[in-house]
Amino acid sequence: MSQQRILIANRGEIALRIIRSAKEMDMYTIAVYSDADEDALHVKRADEAYYLGGSLPAESYRNLKKLVKAATDTKADLVHPGYGFLAENADFAKAIQKKGIVWIGPSPETIRSMGDKIESRKLVSKLGLNPVPGQLKPSRLRREAIKDAESFGYPVALKAAHGGGGKGLRIVQNEAELIENFEIVKRESEAYFGSDQIYVEKFIKPARHIETQILSDKYGNTLYLGERDCSLQRRNQKLIEESPPEWLSDYGRERLKEYTLKIASSSNYINAGTVEFLADSDENFYFLEMNTRLQVEHTVTEMRYGIDLVKEQIKIALGNSLEDYKLEPRGHSIEFRINAEDPTNNFLPTPGTITEYREPTGNGVRVDGWARTGTQITHFYDNLISKLIVWGVSREEARSKGIRCLEEYIIGGIPTTINVLSDILKTKEFINSQIHVKFLEENFEIRDIKDEEISSDRPSKVKISRKAFQSHTAPDETLDLHGKNRQEALMLVENYVHYGALHGLDSLLIVTGKGNRSQAGPVLKQTVEQWLVKNGRKYIAQVREAPPRWGGSGALWVIFRR
């Protein structure tokens, strides 16, 4: 019997993770890649690699037609979408199935109903469950969002209807902030998920973020694989996840299980899925959304249950049954997201080259990553470098092991989240399991990273400003090129322009010299301006002189296309 051929429609650590499981099942693995990933590890580890196109997601990993063509050209028998990009795109799933290829995931109909945040809210409401108060239809116009936000009461969340992973999500405190962020969230939603549909939802504060994991087959069998606490977040994106939630009562656990199984049954769910809830201090649970794909943090469930969720996904897609499948959880597992971002600068991304890379090891330690010494962290994609997962007999053992592993983890060349994650584990709030979704920004004092600890090709000063300048908002980010040579400067300018366009920024301040301290300022300013005019037309609406008070005499103000 010939090997079954599986195409992984993704990149980075999740592509590598799927490739490893597929190889252990004696499958022939096919990677896809963009210009930026030509030398990436997932390309090297696969049996075959298919070139998609340019580095922008719309040119490669989010290009439905190119991915379908890749699957047919390589004669793939199965397609695994991973997470992000088109993993929750019903049209992609349907197109793959129309070609006679097995889609590893729920049906297109289920993705459409449960992957759509608005449709899933309607469904759970019919089941008698409580979604977070919010709209049951997209907000096409600002006035619709303003009207409903007033009825729910501020603060509210502006959320992408087809989103996830903290992308296309802003918390706004009043009408002015809603007006300011409405179009930004629509642009982010379009950039990340191919749809600009957004809706308004009540923001519950303080809240804990809890989710449940299931596996379901086509014969009506569903495995409930416990709960994960995902409350430690920054900018609505998870940083630490753990299982089980220490604070959850047995009664609360039974209610979550009941709610989750009811949702899975009513939606005819097949394959791996995650149901997300917010919980208040009284353990009242509010349905947030269902992720119709593998979660980034699926690893903590695997560590506790001794299961390979990717292998089970593949088996279910091939028609295997979960009947008589018995699993018992053991111990406690914690996952840490090692991101290329600077905690001392509002966790802003830090693209650059990794100059040294060493992972921690030991009993109960797992690292799912894709980087190595020399890896270029690009602005084109998510800045996740790796996931460090630890397991212990108790939560305290897992916490202590996490501290030890984070101290051993070495990544040179760029700032990362390693140090701040270690510091969080030592707080009394984490030790006592008192974390909520706003803990990091409200209660944690982030220490400065010493100069000798990092060597970054990203400028040292990056800050967000909220001042007004004429009819525009002041720059969302500042790029300081002081002390950079021409080559370094142009590389950083290109990075920031692409990053700004992808992430829906309104404008960018580029400082090329500080007053009279940089003789190279005027020359560099002219070089940068020429590059922007020649190469940035696709993303930039206007380049103008910035006020001297913002960046001295050598500052340019870049306004992105809306």
Side-chain angles (χ1 to χ4, degrees):
M1 183 177 175
S2 61
Q3 279 184 306
Q4 289 186 302
R5 301 167 63 88
I6 179 172
L7 182 137
I8 299 92
N10 218 295
R11 66 175 299 278
E13 68 86 14
I14 190 58
L16 265 176
R17 189 258 171 279
I18 295 166
I19 287 169
R20 287 171 179 143
S21 290
K23 280 181 173 289
E24 289 175 14
M25 298 176 73
D26 195 31
M27 288 185 159
Y28 184 88
T29 56
I30 306 164
V32 292
Y33 67 97
S34 66
D35 285 334
D37 282 338
E38 184 177 5
D39 196 41
L41 209 52
H42 76 281
V43 175
K44 295 182 180 299
R45 292 288 183 267
D47 297 301
E48 182 180 338
Y50 186 96
Y51 172 66
L52 290 174
S55 298
L56 288 173
E59 300 171 331
S60 50
Y61 301 107
R62 206 167 56 75
N63 191 304
L64 191 154
K65 290 182 178 178
K66 286 185 177 181
L67 285 166
V68 173
K69 187 175 187 298
T72 55
D73 286 354
T74 59
K75 296 180 172 56
D77 300 303
L78 306 93
V79 168
H80 197 304
Y83 58 73
F85 297 123
L86 296 182
E88 293 183 278
N89 187 298
D91 292 334
F92 182 40
K94 190 172 183 178
I96 290 297
Q97 289 182 342
K98 276 189 173 182
K99 297 294 184 181
I101 301 169
V102 175
W103 169 260
I104 302 173
S107 69
E109 293 73 27
T110 301
I111 294 174
R112 208 176 298 280
S113 62
M114 295 309 296
D116 185 311
K117 312 309 177 192
I118 296 173
E119 290 303 314
S120 62
R121 289 165 59 83
K122 293 178 182 177
L123 174 66
V124 299
S125 296
K126 291 178 182 177
L127 295 175
L129 306 181
N130 292 326
V132 176
Q135 292 176 313
L136 295 178
K137 63 178 182 179
S139 282
R140 289 184 294 274
L141 303 171
R142 281 195 189 94
R143 65 171 179 266
E144 295 174 350
I146 292 169
K147 179 182 177 181
D148 286 324
E150 289 174 349
S151 67
F152 302 142
Y154 289 97
V156 298
L158 295 175
K159 298 182 70 175
H162 302 276
K167 304 292 195 299
L169 170 60
R170 299 286 177 98
I171 309 301
V172 297
Q173 304 294 330
N174 49 51
E175 182 178 322
E177 290 187 10
L178 188 151
I179 292 170
E180 177 184 349
N181 285 280
F182 186 82
E183 291 299 330
I184 293 174
V185 174
K186 286 175 74 72
R187 289 200 300 273
E188 286 181 356
S189 179
E190 174 65 32
Y192 281 106
F193 310 110
S195 168
D196 69 353
Q197 288 192 339
I198 68 172
Y199 68 102
V200 175
E201 180 179 86
K202 175 65 179 171
F203 179 69
I204 296 175
K205 177 186 175 184
R208 284 169 161 146
H209 189 147
I210 189 168
E211 62 188 28
T212 56
Q213 177 71 58
I214 59 167
L215 276 175
S216 299
D217 64 25
K218 67 179 182 180
Y219 308 105
N221 303 302
T222 297
L223 278 181
Y224 180 78
L225 297 173
E227 309 82 25
R228 299 186 288 253
D229 184 346
C230 307
S231 300
L232 202 290
Q233 305 177 4
R234 53 89 182 92
R235 292 203 305 273
N236 308 303
Q237 290 182 284
K238 302 162 189 171
L239 273 179
I240 297 177
E241 301 98 342
E242 57 180 313
S243 180
E246 190 85 350
W247 52 268
L248 185 63
S249 68
D250 290 340
Y251 175 66
R253 186 167 284 110
E254 286 302 314
R255 281 198 296 153
L256 284 172
K257 181 177 180 180
E258 176 191 343
Y259 297 163
T260 300
L261 294 178
K262 188 179 286 189
I263 291 169
S265 175
S266 63
S267 62
N268 298 313
Y269 201 87
I270 298 174
N271 217 274
T274 299
V275 185
E276 302 199 25
F277 301 87
L278 284 182
D280 64 20
S281 55
D282 297 320
E283 285 196 17
N284 294 307
F285 300 109
Y286 301 89
F287 172 82
L288 264 180
E289 61 191 27
M290 185 171 192
N291 288 303
T292 56
R293 54 169 168 81
L294 197 65
Q295 289 280 86
V296 177
E297 60 273 16
H298 72 277
T299 54
V300 291
T301 299
E302 292 183 325
M303 295 287 272
R304 281 195 71 219
Y305 284 83
I307 187 175
D308 187 321
L309 286 173
V310 169
K311 288 182 180 178
E312 298 306 319
Q313 281 191 292
I314 294 171
K315 291 175 186 176
I316 290 169
L318 292 173
N320 286 22
S321 172
L322 292 169
E323 191 176 8
D324 300 325
Y325 207 125
K326 304 294 182 186
L327 290 169
E328 289 295 329
R330 293 175 57 251
H332 197 98
S333 184
I334 309 176
E335 175 183 275
F336 309 94
R337 300 199 191 189
I338 311 302
N339 297 330
E341 53 194 35
D342 190 346
T344 67
N345 280 320
N346 293 319
F347 287 89
L348 290 173
T350 54
T353 301
I354 293 176
T355 57
E356 184 180 8
Y357 186 84
R358 281 183 285 160
E359 295 176 350
T361 60
N363 185 38
V365 177
R366 167 179 170 181
V367 178
D368 281 19
W370 66 281
R372 57 199 188 280
T373 299
T375 293
Q376 175 75 29
I377 304 299
T378 173
H379 56 280
F380 291 110
Y381 314 117
D382 187 89
N383 54 7
L384 179 68
I385 298 173
S386 68
K387 302 178 306 194
L388 166 64
I389 312 99
V390 296
W391 179 90
V393 173
S394 65
R395 183 175 188 265
E396 179 54 28
E397 181 180 318
R399 186 186 74 89
S400 298
K401 190 172 293 185
I403 292 171
R404 189 266 297 171
C405 288
L406 288 165
E407 289 174 350
E408 289 184 4
Y409 211 142
I410 303 298
I411 299 179
I414 54 174
T416 71
T417 53
I418 289 175
N419 287 327
V420 74
L421 290 170
S422 180
D423 288 349
I424 290 168
L425 290 185
K426 300 169 186 174
T427 63
K428 68 179 189 303
E429 289 86 355
F430 190 91
I431 292 170
N432 296 326
S433 194
Q434 296 172 337
I435 300 296
H436 58 83
V437 295
K438 291 298 178 183
F439 167 77
L440 190 60
E441 57 195 66
E442 290 181 0
N443 298 304
F444 195 74
E445 184 177 350
I446 302 169
R447 70 177 177 83
D448 290 332
I449 297 176
K450 297 177 183 178
D451 290 340
E452 60 266 24
E453 290 183 75
I454 59 171
S455 173
S456 174
D457 62 0
R458 181 184 173 93
S460 58
K461 297 293 183 184
V462 182
K463 50 190 173 183
I464 296 192
S465 172
R466 296 292 179 189
K467 300 175 186 176
F469 178 67
Q470 294 184 357
S471 60
H472 296 275
T473 303
D476 292 313
E477 289 199 27
T478 299
L479 169 56
D480 189 346
L481 299 177
H482 187 236
K484 302 293 181 184
N485 62 37
R486 181 181 182 278
Q487 184 177 358
E488 292 172 331
L490 291 182
M491 182 188 76
L492 287 166
V493 169
E494 182 178 7
N495 281 350
Y496 270 68
V497 168
H498 284 294
Y499 171 80
L502 180 64
H503 292 268
L505 300 187
D506 284 322
S507 58
L508 168 69
L509 180 69
I510 302 177
V511 179
T512 57
K514 298 185 177 180
N516 295 322
R517 286 185 289 168
S518 175
Q519 296 297 322
V523 176
L524 186 58
K525 176 183 174 184
Q526 184 179 17
T527 301
V528 169
E529 190 168 12
Q530 289 172 347
W531 186 95
L532 291 168
V533 171
K534 182 179 179 181
N535 301 291
R537 293 176 183 172
K538 184 176 179 181
Y539 312 107
I540 296 169
Q542 194 174 7
V543 179
R544 63 169 66 169
E545 292 275 347
R549 67 180 184 276
W550 282 2
S553 60
L556 295 169
W557 191 31
V558 178
I559 301 170
F560 290 95
R561 293 187 183 276
R562 293 179 180 271

